[in-house]
Amino acid sequence: AQSVTQLDSHVSVSEGTPVLLRCNYSSSYSPSLFWYVQHPNKGLQLLLKYTSAATLVKGINGFEAEFKKSETSFHLTKPSAHMSDAAEYFCVVTLMFSGGYNKLIFGAGTRLAVHP
Amino acid sequence: NAGVTQTPKFRVLKTGQSMTLLCAQDMNHEYMYWYRQDPGMGLRLIHYSVGEGTTAKGEVPDGYNVSRLKKQNFLLGLESAAPSQTSVYFCASSPTSGGALEQFFGPGTRLTVL
């Protein structure tokens, strides 16, 4: 069965310091993985996605994530946090059904706070 | 393109009342989805549609009905609202299914059931 575990419900960093949001997944096949971001009172926006090509994936706003099959991890990083990065981040794994339907399985989310 | 839009943005209902949430997309996507978001639980799929005139149950379908009479619209109905349905509801769409394809999300509807 497919599942996603985000290891931290809250992360707090200072502006200008690195960001690390951790995600582990469980999948019985080679998964596709996403990171979505949700700013307060907004919808979800795709940050980046892994689709079995390069294991290091670059996304928007300076974020990147590395797919590590041996560790079943897909951690999200950014070298230097900005105040505007404060948001909730969701790690997502896809589950494909025989009819072609694609289901997204969401982690519980990590709320990132950025302090001046 | 407006992308995915949702109506209304906010709503307060009393227990037992009914309402319909409207989702519209202008990207000509085949697939549409309704999710609910509750604290600490990520998003959970309520119902989805793989094309005009077709719908199917997701992870948490009880208490909800849906219709997809037009390709661009996906309606979510609550026939008799309950406090447990207090949540933020998100609609999403995607061009076709497949593991590599992202879903595009609307801004959400915040529903409170008293």
Side-chain angles (χ1 to χ4, degrees), chain A residues 32 36 38 49 90 100-102, chain B residues 37 45 90 97-100 103:
Chain A
S32 290
Y36 278 88
Q38 183 181 27
K49 63 182 179 182
F90 293 95
Y101 159 62
N102 168 40
Chain B
Q37 182 181 31
L45 183 66
F90 287 99
S97 189
Q103 294 180 12

Side-chain angles (χ1 to χ4, degrees), chain B residues 20-62:
Chain B
T20 300
L21 282 66
L22 171 63
C23 175
Q25 53 93 6
D26 61 2
M27 298 174 282
N28 201 35
H29 286 172
E30 290 292 334
Y31 287 69
M32 297 187 74
Y33 316 81
W34 275 107
Y35 294 88
R36 60 177 288 172
Q37 182 181 31
D38 301 295
M41 301 184 74
L43 275 70
R44 293 180 293 168
L45 183 66
I46 304 172
H47 286 280
Y48 65 97
S49 168
V50 301
E52 183 179 320
T54 69
T55 64
K57 294 180 180 179
E59 188 182 355
V60 288
D62 293 343

Side-chain angles (χ1 to χ4, degrees), chain B residues 11-15 19 21 35-39 41 44 46 64 78 80-89 109-114:
Chain B
R11 184 72 185 268
V12 178
L13 291 178
K14 294 181 179 179
T15 297
M19 76 164 295
L21 282 66
Y35 294 88
R36 60 177 288 172
Q37 182 181 31
D38 301 295
M41 301 184 74
R44 293 180 293 168
I46 304 172
Y64 305 95
L78 286 73
S80 179
S84 61
Q85 294 177 305
T86 294
S87 187
V88 182
Y89 292 86
T109 295
R110 187 173 295 275
L111 175 66
T112 301
V113 182
L114 302 176

